[in-house]
Amino acid sequence: MALNLKPIAGSSNRVIVEPAAAEEKTASGLYIPDTAKEKPSKGTVVSVSEEDADGKKASVKVGDVVIYGKYGGTEFPYEGKDYLIMRETDIYAVVG
């Protein structure tokens, strides 16, 4: 799942995340209409900056499934898919 984009770090490491698909059904089996779907807060890291301005490397790596703030990052389309670019500090946890 290599992406031909490499984020530039600056003052903190940057990460590009492919968000997971929004939930289609509730636990009880009801379908959720598009207008009521929540933004996903989980996704897969597809690219990571080399190091930040202080020389620190990112603690997440490509392929990690992460949980991030619901409104964290900036959305952008690339080659027909939607991605988020965010600071590594916007990531709350690595799943698994």
Side-chain angles (χ1 to χ4, degrees):
M1 183 185 314
L3 190 64
N4 272 345
L5 291 174
K6 194 60 126 172
I8 298 173
S11 62
S12 68
N13 285 308
R14 303 275 190 228
V15 178
I16 297 178
V17 174
E18 182 176 358
E23 293 291 322
E24 298 285 328
K25 289 196 302 186
T26 63
S28 61
L30 298 175
Y31 285 94
I32 303 171
D34 288 338
T35 56
K37 288 181 184 171
E38 290 190 26
K39 287 181 70 171
S41 58
K42 182 173 149 182
T44 305
V45 175
V46 293
S47 187
V48 180
S49 60
E50 295 294 326
E51 57 185 38
D52 65 10
D54 296 329
K56 290 195 268 183
K57 293 194 178 281
S59 55
V60 295
K61 60 186 181 312
V62 173
D64 283 348
V65 176
V66 296
I67 296 175
Y68 51 86
K70 191 179 291 190
Y71 300 104
T74 301
E75 296 178 359
F76 69 95
Y78 183 73
E79 295 182 350
K81 287 187 172 184
D82 290 327
Y83 296 96
L84 289 170
I85 187 164
M86 63 183 68
R87 289 183 176 95
E88 185 182 27
T89 56
D90 291 338
I91 294 173
Y92 298 145
V94 176
V95 177

